[in-house]
């Protein structure tokens, strides 16, 4: 339920990190009503529709053979693939010309977190750190792979962080691979294909769908 997702998102808000939130118009008021959101100088809330996204306009028509039918719908898979496009949209807004790095974080990332307070504190600290790599930093579970009909957890999907240039490069390569897909598939599969077929380089680190998903290795962080 969206109410549950709001509760998860309120923990991200509590961390104090800069947020550019993209939300459907019908959910805008509920997001703005959360404590700490309205009139907060480091939070921007922007409405968006699925239909205006490039990933919607160029989506393949066929779905994966093996999926959870009530969950992995065409709209869901399109939205997942729009992650890097949405980060680029924030970059292109012109609000963050002094920012060197940008991140995607799922609206309800805290649904996989066990130690909520530790994660809130970590995100808050991360927001004040300097990132030591110019590549996109991505958590993941598996080795390199290229498939479309089954979800492949080479990447966790819920979080990534990279320099402005690396995010824009990721966007361009994702656009190329996505538009050439034989079937609509999960964004993590597309990222995996980018590695295998386009020799896309990223700073991958071992993690899972738990507290480790946001824990960037210390070698990439300077306090």
């Amino acid at each position: 339920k969206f109410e549950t997702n709001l509760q998860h998102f309120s923990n991200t808000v509590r961390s104090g990190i800069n947020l550019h939130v993209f939300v459907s118009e019908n959910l805008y008021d509920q997001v703005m009503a959360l404590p700490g959101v309205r009139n907060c100088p480091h939070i921007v809330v922007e409405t968006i529709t699925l239909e205006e996204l490039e990933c919607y306009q160029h989506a393949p028509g066929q779905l994966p053979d093996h999926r959870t039918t009530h969950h992995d719908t065409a709209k869901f898979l399109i939205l997942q693939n729009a992650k890097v496009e949405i980060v680029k949209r924030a970059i292109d807004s012109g609000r963050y010309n002094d920012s060197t790095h940008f991140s995607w974080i799922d609206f309800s990332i805290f649904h996989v977190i066990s130690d909520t307070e530790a994660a809130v504190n970590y995100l808050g600290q991360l927001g004040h750190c300097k990132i030591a790599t110019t590549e996109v930093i991505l958590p993941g579970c598996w080795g390199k792979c290229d498939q479309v009909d089954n979800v492949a957890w080479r990447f966790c999907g819920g979080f990534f962080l990279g320099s402005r240039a690396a995010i824009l490069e990721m966007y361009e390569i994702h656009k190329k691979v996505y538009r050439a897909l034989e079937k609509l598939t999960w964004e993590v599969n597309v990222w995996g294909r980018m590695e295998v077929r386009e020799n896309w380089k990223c700073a991958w680190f071992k993690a899972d769908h738990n507290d480790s998903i946001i824990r960037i290795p210390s070698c990439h962080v300077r306090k």
Side-chain angles (χ1 to χ4, degrees):
K1 294 181 179 180
F2 187 66
E3 290 75 19
T4 302
N5 287 336
L6 279 173
Q7 294 173 10
H8 291 310
F9 177 65
S10 66
N11 291 315
T12 307
V13 172
R14 288 198 298 118
S15 71
I17 59 175
N18 297 326
L19 292 169
H20 193 129
V21 188
F22 292 87
V23 64
S24 299
E25 185 174 0
N26 64 311
L27 304 173
Y28 176 84
D29 289 341
Q30 294 181 67
V31 172
M32 293 300 292
L34 286 174
V37 173
R38 191 177 295 275
N39 299 322
C40 181
H42 64 265
I43 298 179
V44 174
V45 182
E46 178 179 342
T47 58
I48 192 171
T49 65
L50 188 70
E51 291 75 16
E52 69 188 84
L53 295 170
E54 294 174 1
C55 283
Y56 179 89
Q57 297 163 9
H58 298 279
Q62 193 172 350
L63 293 171
D65 289 347
H66 306 291
R67 62 189 177 90
T68 305
T69 55
H70 72 275
H71 182 269
D72 299 317
T73 63
K75 288 184 176 181
F76 174 80
L77 294 176
I78 290 168
L79 185 59
Q80 299 311 295
N81 273 283
K83 291 177 179 180
V84 68
E85 178 186 342
I86 288 172
V87 177
K88 179 181 181 293
R89 185 171 176 135
I91 293 173
D92 290 345
S93 72
R95 295 175 179 269
Y96 313 106
N97 293 332
D98 295 331
S99 297
T100 61
H101 286 71
F102 295 82
S103 176
W104 169 271
I105 189 165
D106 277 0
F107 190 84
S108 58
I109 191 77
F110 273 84
H111 87 280
V112 301
I113 301 294
S114 297
D115 192 336
T116 299
E117 293 309 311
V120 168
N121 292 333
Y122 176 80
L123 284 175
Q125 294 168 10
L126 186 63
H128 295 286
C129 290
K130 293 184 178 180
I131 306 302
T133 180
T134 58
E135 294 181 324
V136 179
I137 305 169
L138 289 127
C141 308
W142 297 359
K144 293 183 179 181
C145 53
D146 177 9
Q147 58 181 295
V148 296
D149 280 319
N150 296 277
V151 62
W153 295 117
R154 164 63 175 165
F155 303 101
C156 297
F159 175 78
F160 62 78
L161 186 154
S163 68
R164 180 189 297 265
I167 293 291
L168 295 177
E169 179 192 41
M170 182 183 180
Y171 163 78
E172 292 295 340
I173 298 174
H174 179 275
K175 180 170 67 173
K176 175 184 177 181
V177 173
Y178 179 80
R179 295 186 182 188
L181 287 172
E182 62 272 27
K183 295 178 183 178
L184 184 58
T185 191
W186 295 266
E187 86 286 10
V188 292
N189 290 26
V190 179
W191 301 346
R193 178 165 291 192
M194 288 161 57
E195 273 194 308
V196 173
R197 300 196 183 186
E198 299 295 328
N199 199 32
W200 174 58
K201 303 295 184 183
C202 65
W204 182 93
F205 68 95
K206 179 69 173 177
D208 209 335
H209 297 95
N210 54 32
D211 299 53
S212 65
I213 194 171
I214 59 171
R215 296 280 176 168
I216 293 175
S218 58
C219 61
H220 296 318
V221 178
R222 294 174 183 161
K223 295 183 178 180

